[in-house]
Amino acid sequence: AQSVTQLGSHVSVSEGALVLLRCNYSSSVPPYLFWYVQYPNQGLQLLLKYTSAATLVKGINGFEAEFKKSETSFHLTKPSAHMSDAAEYFCAVSPNFGNEKLTFGTGTRLTIIP
Amino acid sequence: DTGVSQDPRHKITKRGQNVTFRCDPISEHNRLYWYRQTLGQGPEFLTYFQNEAQLEKSRLLSDRFSAERPKGSFSTLEIQRTEQGDSAMYLCASSLELRGGPNEQFFGPGTRLTVL
C-alpha cells in the first residue's frame, strides 16, 4: 500500500522567508507524487507533480519540489514566502497504473507572518 | 469550461435522513472520483468511475453509500440513514485518461455535510 507522511501539521514563516514543507512517501513501486494547495472554501488545486521525468519539479506560484529516492522524500519549497501563500498544503501519492487514485497526507497549514 | 461543480455546497440534515450530492465533471473527462475529507485530515478515496462503470470502491464506502454515473457524465453520491460520523466534506474530482500519465485530477469545491 502507498502512503505519505507530512511532518508538521502547522508551519509558520515570515513574509519573504524560505518555505519548506516536508513529505515522505512509502511505495513498493515507483509512484507519482503530487502537491496540492487548498484555500479556505475552495477546492484542491494542483501545485506540481512528479512523474519520473525529472527529479526537480517546478510548479505554479514559484513552488518547486525535489524527488529524492534515497530519502523517500518529496519536500515542497519556495524561496520567498508571500502573504497569499497562506493555505493548507497536501502531499499525495498515486500508483503509476490503474485508476491513479490519490492517497493524501494529513496536510500542513502554512501561516505567513507579516 | 467552468471546471468541476458540486451541488449543494452545504447540506445540514438530521440523523437517519437520506442525502444525495451531485457532481458535474469537466465535460470531456472520462474519469470521476469521490473523496471524503474530515476535519484536520487529508481527503480519502471513496470510489472511482471510468465513464459510467464504477470500477473501485473503498472499504470506507459502507452499504449505506451508493454512487452512480449514468451515461458517463454527472455523478451522484447518496448516503442513506445518515449518521453523525458521516459529517465531512465530500469532494469530487475528474480527469481525462491520457497515455503516459499521471492524469491530473481537477477538484470541485466540495459539499459540506453536517449531520445533527
Side-chain angles (χ1 to χ4, degrees):
Chain A
Q2 300 181 316
S3 65
V4 290
T5 301
Q6 292 186 241
L7 300 176
S9 57
H10 291 85
V11 170
S12 296
V13 301
S14 298
E15 189 175 15
L18 171 71
V19 175
L20 171 60
L21 305 183
R22 301 177 185 274
C23 174
N24 288 86
Y25 71 91
S26 173
S27 177
S28 58
V29 298
Y32 292 142
L33 290 161
F34 308 80
W35 276 99
Y36 280 85
V37 61
Q38 187 175 35
Y39 298 100
N41 299 317
Q42 294 187 30
L44 292 157
Q45 181 182 9
L46 181 66
L47 278 177
L48 50 81
K49 60 186 178 185
Y50 167 74
T51 64
S52 75
T55 57
L56 182 62
V57 182
K58 295 187 182 297
I60 62 172
N61 301 339
F63 284 94
E64 64 181 37
E66 186 172 7
F67 175 76
K68 292 186 176 180
K69 185 177 180 180
S70 61
E71 299 177 8
T72 62
S73 68
F74 190 57
H75 301 331
L76 181 71
T77 60
K78 181 174 181 177
S80 177
H82 191 273
M83 294 300 294
S84 61
D85 295 327
E88 186 96 22
Y89 291 80
F90 293 94
C91 181
V93 63
S94 83
N96 58 10
F97 59 91
N99 75 26
E100 298 181 346
K101 65 184 179 184
L102 294 166
T103 300
F104 287 87
T106 53
T108 298
R109 180 166 300 277
L110 177 64
T111 300
I112 309 299
I113 303 166
Chain B
D1 184 358
T2 57
V4 179
S5 62
Q6 293 187 245
D7 183 70
R9 293 290 305 276
H10 303 273
K11 179 70 177 178
I12 299 174
T13 190
K14 293 182 179 179
R15 184 166 52 93
Q17 297 295 305
N18 299 342
V19 294
T20 300
F21 310 140
R22 177 181 170 122
C23 171
D24 286 90
I26 294 173
S27 58
E28 66 269 24
H29 285 187
N30 59 340
R31 291 182 167 183
L32 189 145
Y33 303 79
W34 284 99
Y35 294 84
R36 182 174 70 184
Q37 184 177 19
T38 53
L39 200 61
Q41 299 297 316
E44 297 173 292
F45 170 79
L46 291 179
T47 190
Y48 151 72
F49 291 84
Q50 174 116 352
N51 300 310
E52 66 275 9
Q54 186 176 19
L55 298 185
E56 185 171 344
K57 293 194 295 185
S58 163
R59 61 179 172 78
L60 294 175
L61 218 62
S62 74
D63 57 5
R64 295 184 297 106
F65 289 72
S66 63
E68 295 182 340
R69 194 185 182 196
K71 303 180 182 179
S73 55
F74 72 92
S75 176
T76 58
L77 178 68
E78 181 183 15
I79 309 174
Q80 296 182 328
R81 305 181 302 283
T82 53
E83 302 174 355
Q84 289 185 326
D86 297 330
S87 295
M89 177 76 85
Y90 289 84
L91 298 169
C92 176
S94 70
S95 70
L96 178 63
E97 182 185 11
L98 297 171
R99 296 186 66 180
N103 307 302
E104 180 180 349
Q105 293 183 29
F106 293 82
F107 283 80
T111 294
R112 182 170 296 283
L113 173 66
T114 301
V115 182
L116 302 176

